[in-house]
Amino acid sequence: MSETMRFDDRVVVITGAGAGLGRSHALEFARRGAKVVVNDLGGGGHGEGKGSEAADRVVAEIQAAGGEAVANYDSVENGEAIIRTAIDNYDRVEVVVNNAGILRDASFAKMTDSDWDLIYRVHALGAYRVTRAAWPIMLEQGYGRIVNTASAAGIYGNFGQANYAFVKRGLIGFSNTLAIEGARKGIKVNVIAPVAGSRLTETILPKDVLEALKPEFVTPLVVRLCAESSTESGSLFEVGAGWVAKLRWERSQGACFDPKAELTAEAIDAAWDRIGDFTGAQHPTTIQDTFGPVFGNLGITP
Ligand SMILES: NC(=O)c1ccc[n+]([C@@H]2O[C@H](COP(=O)([O-])OP(=O)(O)OC[C@H]3O[C@@H](n4cnc5c(N)ncnc54)[C@H](O)[C@@H]3O)[C@@H](O)[C@H]2O)c1
């Protein structure tokens, strides 16, 4: 198959690009002609320490392959400095991949305030700050591609990851809203929930599985979502090991009660099977899809 998705002269910012998924994204965007800002704080997997080696190593790899890249060592909490690196070196930014991440797993009973705060700061505040700094530039140029990195934990929940699940699900609502706000300005925003062998998964997956779950199986979807030709926006994908799938909401037809009469818990209990019956289910995609049945029950056309 011929390679149609090129990024020549495009500037791509990838956070947490010193290892794992981010490194794989950085190498592939650079191979396809992009000028890449390789951001990485270079600390440990639980948010401790920092260093320049991780980002430098990936920049060197890109340059050795004939590509163009510059390192940035800021924490994503300092998103403005990361975007400034793009502007100072390349004068523009077209693509942002919010990927940096750490884990602070603990059952909720044992989770400390610092476990909660650190996960919030890296995944939520970090994605916000980087995106917030790039957003006016994208609005002004009428073009942008953003991919945020969520997790199956955020979609489904996972034992020991209340902090992580909270922020990862938050990124989905964040992306959906930016997809709406960016629609008329050529900005496409999507979310992925990847599975890959990396420092973050090395303690929970067996070695042979880790080796098979190459980050390189996730990167092509990110590239596809960031391509100039892509019209996809506001979507969520699960991806890993060569499997790519799109998710959507499913809503039962629900039960309607007389809005002029008193509604009781017992009446809801009596309709419980109907409320949870997915026969003839709908697939809402906008907030207006919520107003439909709500106003419909009142006999009002919104
Ligand atoms: N690997 C998986 O199976 C998996 C599953 C679901 C979600 N994710 C998400 O994918 C993303 C990448 O994870 P990975 O598996 O490649 O892990 P990784 O540890 O290999 O890479 C994450 C990188 O982010 C960097 N980083 C951490 N905090 C940072 C900060 N404050 N500022 C800048 N850089 C920072 C780290 O130094 C590291 O190089 C994360 O957001 C993670 O939550 C991964």
Side-chain angles (χ1 to χ4, degrees), residues 155-209:
I155 303 171
Y156 306 110
N158 194 25
F159 191 95
Q161 296 195 313
N163 50 356
Y164 184 72
F166 179 87
V167 292
K168 289 303 198 186
R169 176 61 79 97
L171 287 173
I172 300 171
F174 176 62
S175 304
N176 289 347
T177 298
L178 295 192
I180 293 166
E181 294 191 13
R184 278 193 284 157
K185 289 290 188 176
I187 306 174
K188 316 283 185 207
V189 189
N190 292 284
V191 204
I192 60 163
V195 181
S198 77
R199 181 172 72 177
L200 293 190
T201 44
E202 69 188 359
T203 53
I204 51 172
L205 294 170
K207 201 165 181 304
D208 53 333
V209 175

Side-chain angles (χ1 to χ4, degrees), residues 15-23 25 39-45 47 54 72-77 82 98-103 121-123 126 149-153 164 168 171 192-201 204-205 213 215:
T15 69
L21 288 162
R23 170 182 166 273
H25 303 338
N39 157 263
D40 206 289
L41 180 65
N72 170 285
Y73 318 118
D74 284 286
S75 168
V76 281
E77 296 156 89
I82 298 170
N98 285 307
N99 165 82
I102 55 165
L103 290 176
R121 293 193 69 82
V122 174
H123 294 271
T149 310
S151 164
Y164 184 72
K168 289 303 198 186
L171 287 173
I192 60 163
V195 181
S198 77
R199 181 172 72 177
L200 293 190
T201 44
I204 51 172
L205 294 170
L213 287 170

Side-chain angles (χ1 to χ4, degrees), residues 105-180:
D105 291 0
S107 66
F108 193 50
K110 293 187 181 139
M111 188 167 287
T112 64
D113 282 353
S114 76
D115 292 333
W116 182 268
D117 288 343
L118 208 52
I119 289 296
Y120 162 75
R121 293 193 69 82
V122 174
H123 294 271
L125 186 68
Y128 157 70
R129 289 252 170 91
V130 174
T131 309
R132 185 68 188 83
W135 193 252
I137 299 167
M138 291 183 172
L139 286 179
E140 175 74 24
Q141 70 200 12
Y143 184 86
R145 297 284 182 269
I146 298 171
V147 170
N148 291 314
T149 310
S151 164
I155 303 171
Y156 306 110
N158 194 25
F159 191 95
Q161 296 195 313
N163 50 356
Y164 184 72
F166 179 87
V167 292
K168 289 303 198 186
R169 176 61 79 97
L171 287 173
I172 300 171
F174 176 62
S175 304
N176 289 347
T177 298
L178 295 192
I180 293 166

Side-chain angles (χ1 to χ4, degrees), residues 21 46 58 69 75 79-80 88 93 111 117 138 148 152 176 180 189 214 236 239 258 282 302:
L21 288 162
H46 299 103
V58 174
S75 168
E80 209 169 299
D88 288 350
V93 54
M111 188 167 287
D117 288 343
M138 291 183 172
N148 291 314
N176 289 347
I180 293 166
V189 189
K214 293 189 199 329
L236 167 64
V239 54
D258 182 355
Q282 302 151 354

Side-chain angles (χ1 to χ4, degrees), residues 2-302:
S2 73
E3 205 171 88
T4 54
M5 287 174 247
R6 295 285 309 174
F7 293 83
D8 302 288
D9 292 324
R10 295 295 196 195
V11 177
V12 176
V13 174
I14 301 170
T15 69
L21 288 162
R23 170 182 166 273
S24 167
H25 303 338
L27 293 174
E28 180 63 5
F29 275 107
R31 201 185 64 73
R32 287 174 179 266
K35 296 169 176 165
V36 182
V37 175
V38 175
N39 157 263
D40 206 289
L41 180 65
H46 299 103
E48 67 287 12
K50 58 181 183 176
S52 55
E53 307 87 73
D56 283 344
R57 212 177 311 121
V58 174
V59 168
E61 270 186 272
I62 290 172
Q63 289 170 343
E68 171 89 44
V70 62
N72 170 285
Y73 318 118
D74 284 286
S75 168
V76 281
E77 296 156 89
N78 193 8
E80 209 169 299
I82 298 170
I83 298 303
R84 208 180 311 122
T85 297
I87 300 302
D88 288 350
N89 286 274
Y90 302 128
D91 210 27
R92 45 195 302 128
V93 54
E94 277 92 12
V95 175
V96 169
V97 181
N98 285 307
N99 165 82
I102 55 165
L103 290 176
R104 301 279 294 198
D105 291 0
S107 66
F108 193 50
K110 293 187 181 139
M111 188 167 287
T112 64
D113 282 353
S114 76
D115 292 333
W116 182 268
D117 288 343
L118 208 52
I119 289 296
Y120 162 75
R121 293 193 69 82
V122 174
H123 294 271
L125 186 68
Y128 157 70
R129 289 252 170 91
V130 174
T131 309
R132 185 68 188 83
W135 193 252
I137 299 167
M138 291 183 172
L139 286 179
E140 175 74 24
Q141 70 200 12
Y143 184 86
R145 297 284 182 269
I146 298 171
V147 170
N148 291 314
T149 310
S151 164
I155 303 171
Y156 306 110
N158 194 25
F159 191 95
Q161 296 195 313
N163 50 356
Y164 184 72
F166 179 87
V167 292
K168 289 303 198 186
R169 176 61 79 97
L171 287 173
I172 300 171
F174 176 62
S175 304
N176 289 347
T177 298
L178 295 192
I180 293 166
E181 294 191 13
R184 278 193 284 157
K185 289 290 188 176
I187 306 174
K188 316 283 185 207
V189 189
N190 292 284
V191 204
I192 60 163
V195 181
S198 77
R199 181 172 72 177
L200 293 190
T201 44
E202 69 188 359
T203 53
I204 51 172
L205 294 170
K207 201 165 181 304
D208 53 333
V209 175
L210 275 172
E211 275 162 18
L213 287 170
K214 293 189 199 329
E216 289 76 13
F217 280 126
V218 174
T219 295
L221 172 63
V222 176
V223 169
R224 164 63 181 77
L225 292 171
C226 295
E228 195 170 339
S229 56
S230 181
T231 54
E232 192 76 36
S233 199
S235 300
L236 167 64
F237 299 86
E238 288 185 84
V239 54
W243 171 70
V244 183
K246 184 171 174 176
L247 271 84
R248 65 178 177 182
W249 286 98
E250 186 172 63
R251 183 174 67 197
S252 71
Q253 289 192 1
C256 290
F257 303 90
D258 182 355
K260 295 192 184 70
E262 189 193 356
L263 180 60
T264 63
E266 287 74 17
I268 290 179
D269 186 55
W272 202 245
D273 287 348
R274 217 157 17 107
I275 290 169
D277 180 0
F278 282 87
T279 310
Q282 302 151 354
H283 299 99
T285 56
T286 68
I287 196 165
Q288 286 72 24
D289 290 340
T290 302
F291 298 145
V294 168
F295 285 109
N297 201 39
L298 295 173
I300 297 169
T301 312

